[in-house]
Amino acid sequence: MVINADIHRNTSDFDVLIVGAGPTGLTLAIELARRGISYRIIDKAPHPSKYSKALGVMARTLELLHQAEVADTLIAQGHQVTGMQASSYNKVLAQVNFTSLIQSPYPYVLMVPQNITEQVLIDRLTSLGGTVERQVQLTALQQLDQPQQYVQAIIQHTDKSAQSEEKILARWVVGCDGAHSTVRHLSDIAFEGEVLAQSFALADVQIDWKQDHNKLYVYLNKGYLTALFPMLNHRHRVIIGMPPDHAVTSSASDQSIELADIQAVLDICLPIKVTISDPIWLAKFAVHQRKVKFYRTGRIFLAGDAAHIHSPIGGQGMNTGIQDAFNLGWKLALVCQGYASDTILDSYHAEREPIGRQLLRGTSLFTRLATTRYSVPIAIRNTVAPLLSSRKVIQKRLFSLISETGLSYPHSPIVQQGKGWQRPMLHAGERAPDGGYGQSSRHTLLLFTGEHPVVASPKPPTLEDEIEEPDHRSLLTQVAVKWKDIINIHILLPDQPLMTPLPLPTHIHIDPDNNLHQQYGMGKGGYVLIRPDGYISYIGSLTDEMDLIGWVHRSFQIPARPSSPIQL
């Protein structure tokens, strides 16, 4: 798109322009702000949405939000769901307890309305000195290479009686602006997919039943679907799916629906009589299954609904967008700070595109299976589902996907296993147990000493000491000195008497009962480098010291000088 340079506008320059202030954009802004990266976040809406929209926050998302220091606040305002039951009318297909399946500090689904989630994120961003620029709309976008590489954009401020335009320059632009993304349209990126034939609706209501309020329930019958998600104050989110030929009270030309229409589908799906009342939100919608082929084009990225939309069954949409933001945020920060080349940003597409593709495939398959009207597939579903769902291994696999704790990046170009890697070590690209190691915004290097640690001196080495001969530095000294701004070090010793002074230095920890050694498969010791988003970047044995040093040197760089401002 060509920008008219004859119109007078102000010009500003900064690192990242974030378009869209929903959960995805707010999360990205927080991650950049935590790392001191200059950014602007704009949204064309005058205020945050007042509707509950996305509801379920999954375990993996809570682990990441813990790093951003907002998980506890969010949990305090939500309702924890610890189990589910799925039925085909009166035949139970699956009944599962989340707490025994999800290996996480958060073994549940947190039900919290999206408007509350957004407000918690806004409050956190404000505490970091950030703010959302509202009633600001992106109108033009252009990538330029000369004299420096940057993105030139025009934004329009509509909050004043006289509208004003502003020309801005940013090193990177991230479209977090939803299914109708302006960034995607201006970048001419195709959004390919289909619309499901079934129609759907939702309602936030009161229900007069006596079922367990800590469980979610799904009922299927004759091509209809009803899912009931418990919320605070004994309310429920009800989602219904209807066959293409189902007629509703309201006009098919708009997105409205009546409470009676929701009640009618509940009467079809549920084997017991329940009555819903007091709706605070009703909406009808079509389900689009769409995704972009590439999450990055040059200096422009797409995240969240701007990159992928799908069926709400499974509650994955907002969670996937937030995790897109966490994946991209630390990488952008390293590049903006000069600690990594921009080739690391290619891994955003390499890691997140397969997740989006898998999500569309899974939600499409489950939605079609749940809403089929044909007797043969229904009979097969009702016979096979109870057999499979009763097996613990199937339950664990299914809910590792739903909770998103089972997602990994085994084929990522920025993860590696050492030459001395051996079972039962975890694999590179896997999520670190319990979601990571603390709340650090940096990489974390864990040194597992094994069953018989050798302490060379009663006085621990001073890791900050400089050594003039880089080729002869120990691994810990190299990392502690050269990479101290981006890598934290923790040495994990087994639970046994040690010839070391007390108290121990802050970087040395006792591993009670070898719990962490066992979780990482490090009985014989080794190295684990954990990324800021809680995934394993490098893992190897104690013999892989030089291999790890090489990996660190290939992955990171020392900035020669601070990045200079963009010049016109």
Side-chain angles (χ1 to χ4, degrees):
M1 176 168 292
V2 177
I3 298 177
N4 185 352
D6 296 331
I7 302 176
H8 176 72
R9 304 177 179 91
N10 296 324
T11 302
S12 59
D13 55 78
F14 49 93
D15 287 319
V16 184
L17 172 65
I18 303 170
V19 182
T24 301
L26 290 168
T27 299
L28 181 59
I30 289 169
E31 288 305 285
L32 295 177
R34 288 206 301 145
R35 295 168 171 84
I37 305 304
S38 63
Y39 69 92
R40 289 175 68 176
I41 177 170
I42 64 173
D43 197 289
K44 62 183 179 182
H47 49 70
S49 173
K50 298 178 181 179
Y51 296 111
S52 54
K53 293 185 178 180
L55 190 64
V57 183
M58 300 301 171
R60 183 66 186 124
T61 304
L62 287 172
E63 291 173 353
L64 292 168
L65 292 175
H66 169 73
Q67 296 181 21
E69 301 181 36
V70 299
D72 291 344
T73 304
L74 200 61
I75 291 167
Q77 300 187 57
H79 178 71
Q80 298 176 22
V81 174
T82 56
M84 72 155 288
Q85 176 179 303
S87 304
S88 180
Y89 196 59
N90 59 359
K91 180 181 177 62
V92 176
L93 303 180
Q95 192 157 225
V96 182
N97 178 7
F98 296 159
T99 56
S100 63
L101 298 173
I102 301 175
Q103 302 302 309
S104 169
Y106 311 100
Y108 48 79
V109 179
L110 183 70
M111 297 298 176
V112 56
Q114 181 176 323
N115 56 316
I116 293 179
T117 300
E118 289 187 14
Q119 190 58 55
V120 169
L121 294 171
I122 289 170
D123 291 344
R124 175 60 176 143
L125 184 62
T126 301
S127 74
L128 293 167
T131 186
V132 176
E133 301 177 47
R134 296 202 172 274
Q135 292 183 269
V136 179
Q137 186 169 359
L138 177 70
T139 59
L141 200 60
Q142 185 178 23
Q143 298 192 63
L144 299 176
D145 294 330
Q146 299 297 330
Q148 295 181 6
Q149 291 186 335
Y150 58 88
V151 182
Q152 182 173 265
I154 293 178
I155 58 175
Q156 187 174 59
H157 298 261
T158 61
D159 57 336
K160 303 174 183 177
S161 56
Q163 293 186 352
S164 61
E165 286 187 334
E166 179 185 1
K167 181 172 68 175
I168 59 178
L169 301 175
R171 295 176 64 186
W172 311 97
V173 173
V174 186
C176 306
D177 47 345
H180 303 289
S181 170
T182 300
V183 173
R184 191 182 66 237
H185 286 298
L186 292 176
S187 303
D188 293 322
I189 300 173
F191 202 36
E192 300 176 348
E194 61 178 347
V195 182
L196 297 185
Q198 297 85 356
S199 58
F200 294 81
L202 63 80
D204 289 347
V205 296
Q206 292 279 0
I207 300 182
D208 68 339
W209 69 351
K210 301 184 183 300
Q211 299 281 41
D212 186 349
H213 197 66
N214 295 319
K215 293 173 65 174
L216 65 88
Y217 293 85
V218 178
Y219 292 92
L220 315 173
N221 193 26
K222 301 177 181 179
Y224 290 85
L225 173 149
T226 298
L228 303 104
F229 301 87
M231 303 169 67
L232 282 178
N233 302 319
H234 296 284
R235 300 188 70 86
H236 277 77
R237 159 73 55 81
V238 178
I239 294 180
I240 62 171
M242 301 163 285
D245 57 357
H246 179 84
V248 297
T249 303
S250 58
S251 169
S253 63
D254 60 35
Q255 295 301 301
S256 64
I257 195 166
E258 302 293 336
L259 186 65
D261 296 312
I262 307 289
Q263 181 70 62
V265 175
L266 265 67
D267 293 341
I268 294 172
C269 288
L270 275 61
I272 56 175
K273 177 63 178 177
V274 300
T275 302
I276 57 175
S277 61
D278 190 22
I280 58 174
W281 186 33
L282 292 163
K284 186 176 67 174
F285 57 92
V287 168
H288 291 253
Q289 298 278 122
R290 300 187 186 279
K291 189 182 72 64
V292 296
K293 284 186 177 180
F294 302 102
Y295 283 32
R296 176 189 183 185
T297 174
R299 308 182 78 78
I300 297 173
F301 301 86
L302 296 174
D305 286 355
H308 46 75
I309 55 173
H310 48 81
S311 168
I313 292 178
Q316 303 292 291
M318 180 182 69
N319 292 272
T320 304
I322 289 175
Q323 292 179 45
D324 286 346
F326 271 101
N327 186 285
L328 181 59
W330 66 268
K331 297 172 183 177
L332 277 172
L334 285 180
V335 173
C336 292
Q337 293 166 334
Y339 287 117
S341 71
D342 63 7
T343 57
I344 195 176
L345 299 174
D346 290 334
S347 69
Y348 170 65
H349 169 84
E351 293 179 350
R352 297 305 297 173
E353 190 278 335
I355 301 296
R357 183 166 12 104
Q358 174 184 305
L359 184 58
L360 261 69
R361 185 168 57 245
T363 55
S364 178
L365 176 63
F366 185 84
T367 302
R368 294 178 193 278
L369 185 62
T371 57
T372 182
R373 305 173 69 180
Y374 300 106
S375 57
V376 172
I378 288 175
I380 295 174
R381 179 192 70 196
N382 293 355
T383 300
V384 174
L387 297 175
L388 293 178
S389 66
S390 62
R391 299 182 61 189
K392 203 74 171 179
V393 65
I394 298 296
Q395 291 181 3
K396 287 185 176 181
R397 175 58 179 164
L398 176 62
F399 284 94
S400 71
L401 293 176
I402 292 178
S403 68
E404 303 193 354
T405 56
L407 301 181
S408 62
Y409 309 125
H411 306 297
S412 170
I414 60 168
V415 304
Q416 179 173 311
Q417 289 173 186
K419 298 176 182 177
W421 181 93
Q422 57 186 316
R423 296 185 184 279
M425 292 180 183
L426 296 180
H427 291 82
E430 286 187 325
R431 161 186 165 269
D434 286 347
Y437 201 86
Q439 292 180 313
S440 176
S441 61
R442 304 175 181 180
H443 281 69
T444 299
L445 176 61
L446 302 182
L447 166 56
F448 291 90
T449 59
E451 298 176 354
H452 305 290
V454 176
V455 180
S457 167
K459 180 182 179 181
T462 302
L463 298 182
E464 291 76 13
D465 287 345
E466 284 281 2
I467 296 179
E468 294 182 358
E469 300 179 54
D471 293 340
H472 293 87
R473 293 179 179 182
S474 71
L475 169 67
L476 294 185
T477 303
Q478 285 202 50
V479 173
V481 174
K482 190 171 184 178
W483 308 108
K484 63 183 179 180
D485 292 332
I486 55 175
I487 300 178
N488 293 327
I489 298 175
H490 296 276
I491 303 174
L492 293 145
L493 304 173
D495 188 14
Q496 56 182 288
L498 301 168
M499 295 298 294
T500 55
L502 295 175
L504 292 173
T506 56
H507 61 275
I508 297 180
H509 311 270
I510 298 298
D511 181 17
D513 302 318
N514 281 329
N515 285 335
L516 284 176
H517 280 72
Q518 293 173 12
Q519 288 183 42
Y520 284 88
M522 287 289 172
K524 296 182 180 180
Y527 303 103
V528 181
L529 185 61
I530 302 174
R531 307 179 345 177
D533 58 356
Y535 291 91
I536 296 173
S537 175
Y538 181 96
I539 186 167
S541 70
L542 291 173
T543 62
D544 286 323
E545 178 174 331
M546 295 308 298
D547 191 46
L548 173 57
I549 290 175
W551 173 250
V552 170
H553 278 266
R554 290 192 300 275
S555 300
F556 307 116
Q557 60 190 25
I558 299 297
R561 58 184 180 277
S563 300
S564 58
I566 297 171
Q567 302 293 327
L568 285 174

